[in-house]
Amino acid sequence: MADILWFSELGMGDVDRVGGKNASLGELFSNLSAAGVSVPPGFATSAEAFREFLRGARLEETIDQALVGLDTDDVAALAAAGTKIRAAITSAPFPEQFEREVRDAYADLAGREASGTATVSWAVRSSATAEDLPDASFAGQQETFLNVTGIENILTAIKDVFASLYNDRAIAYRVHHGFTHSEVAISAGVQKMVRSDVGASGVMFTMDTESGFRDAVFITSSYGLGEAVVQGAVNPDEFYVHKPGLLAGRPAILKRGLGEKAVKMVYSDAAGGGATVEFTDVAKGERGRFSITDDEVQELARQAVKIEEHYGRPMDIEWGKDGVDGKLYILQARPETVQSRTSTSTSTRYRLHETGPLLAEGRAIGQRIGAGKVKILRSLEQMAQFEAGDVLVADMTDPDWEPIMKRAAAIVTNRGGRTCHAAIIARELGIPAVVGTGDATQMLAEGSSVTVSCAEGETGFIYDGLLDFAIEESELGAFAELPVKIMMNVGTPDQAFTFSKLPHDGIGLARLEFIINRQIGIHPNALLALEKDPSHRQEGLTDATVTRIQERISAYPGPRDYYVMRLAEGMSMLAAAFAPQPVILRLSDFKSNEYANLLGGPAFEPNEENPMLGFRGASRYLSADFRAAFELECEAVKYVRDTMGLTNVQLMVPFVRTLEEASGVIELLGENGLKRGDNGLKIIMMCELPVNALLADEFLDFFDGFSIGSNDLTQLTLGLDRDSALVADRFDERNPAVKKLLSLAISACKARGKYVGICGQGPSDHPDLADWLVAEGIDSMSLNPDTVVDTRMRLAGAAR
């Protein structure tokens, strides 16, 4: 059959015959099925059959007349041209031979896939010959029809696929990317429908879509048909899986993100015409659970890695879970087209110089900042009102709006996740976008000026007003050998993948309390109380607080598991991003007033006059009131190091006042499976009290070295509150008394052959202090990420 090609006989060498999507499905089906990659069977119509259809129906002249000289920025003219062409295609008859071959192929496939009395449905997918190329995704340009049953409906869907080559958005996209219309043909793929309508589905990338980090698989998932995720109609669950851990056969989920999943796309009736889908609400209980299990997340990641290895490049993959047979299937695979082409020789950072009132927030797409006037679009008819430089705001961005998307300063949507169509196009165009805000169309006023920031981690912010920001370019070429290691202070895991692209020697300070505050937000003792007795009502732990806690932890097995797993996720994101370099994790150092700000915190925290000098650090870990909570931290660390295999995590103990505390906390860590030396574990002490430097040699009997906290050391040496504006001008790490203590600590470590670094603000703020520390023989300086490149360049120049 000249017009029909089966997936089993296709490969990537057949893009010109069946388009990128169908060639890729054939490649997967033919080459990876034996390796465990599951692809539903099917066939494709040939590109030549499409061309013959146009010739036989004399449609080429109609198409040329409509497109010659067309200004695709004129949305009204674009819509008129597209409508005329599509009407001509759908009204033309198929050639007799082509229709006969489609009928025969369908009869063969349907006969093989029939299952008892159940009606088998089909997906009819579009596949253009200039689609899914390494330098252009063409994501969502043509149509796909789901739940198609019966040959007559199949034939109608194929004709609609042919017509979709001339969708308004597809016409504009080809012009924008420099493709000649007549050179692009289309193929229709007929494939067994995966019953994800009663299961789950989503998209996955074999790299992080925002930073380009290559050692993770990024997976999105939601209930129902995958078109809801692609369209951006739903805020899905999100997962990161560490490739090296996966290949080593270890648990490898770095992060779980619970999506709202308020709606799902399902079949609306049994007519089988390919348009019989609708959105229905997801039950509240299901929204609070992950749509796939950890085992399924890892199995999807394994299949993704096999696909990436086969193609030899990062991939963008659609998948579905069949709710009937419970199996996972790969539905499409195409090259990732944005981050894989990003230069690694330079680093571009957008930085806000000020902030304004926060109007809305959601998922950040890209790492840029854009500003302009708000234009809220609710229909195609409004497109002509959109002006270049406006901020496009919509419930979700319709693919038909692509002709104006490239003119937007930024894009903001109520719905959608980081793999929705709007996000993909925004990345491709280099436009900042914030998706899944929930209420941007209500919170942003038409015509008002806003600044859209995607430069502050995974969360994107929309601020009132046109704020001042800068674009900084840094060359990341080879640096001269330095006499000191340059590490980074990394506050939260959100930016770990991005910061890992900077030249570094690891993380010198990762603050566990930042993970607790940002990813957990609940006091550990409140969770332990609920674990012990779900109906427990500690004094001050109100019914409303318990309800809020239960809602927040609903996706996890229990209160204790929530705390440990969320801690482990934060730690493992940092460790994976910077592996194999060390990540020095400072155990929690919240003060009592900071712990009290957590959900449920007031019931468990004392009211201290001076929390800075109170219940914190090692003394807190050893107390009867907090020991059980500290042991949860130990459990998470042990899981990350011993189970996940991320042994580059080292520990740092903060605020150790006495030698007795030093001995006690080392013993406590050992009792919880974290013994110095086991599995390469190093335990470092935060040297931040004058007593730590004065008795440095004695403290080093218990620890593998010091990390100097110059902030606390300076304020406790000089006896001033660094947060007080009245004495702030006297806060200086270069004070002779502070430098004398620094010298004592450094020389003690050097004499014992132990590690010594500094992780305070001083070297970031004062280049002369950095030079002095190098001369003193310090092993490492852990700096704020924004000073890493400049400090390296300056020290390299001094070294020459």
Side-chain angles (χ1 to χ4, degrees), residues 370-386:
K373 291 185 177 180
V374 169
K375 181 61 187 177
I376 301 174
L377 293 189
R378 292 185 171 87
S379 69
L380 284 171
E381 287 69 29
Q382 295 176 278
M383 286 174 56
Q385 304 167 21
F386 192 87

Side-chain angles (χ1 to χ4, degrees), residues 122-138:
W122 311 91
V124 181
R125 303 184 182 277
S126 62
S127 179
T129 56
E131 185 175 48
D132 297 344
L133 301 177
D135 57 353
S137 73
F138 279 73

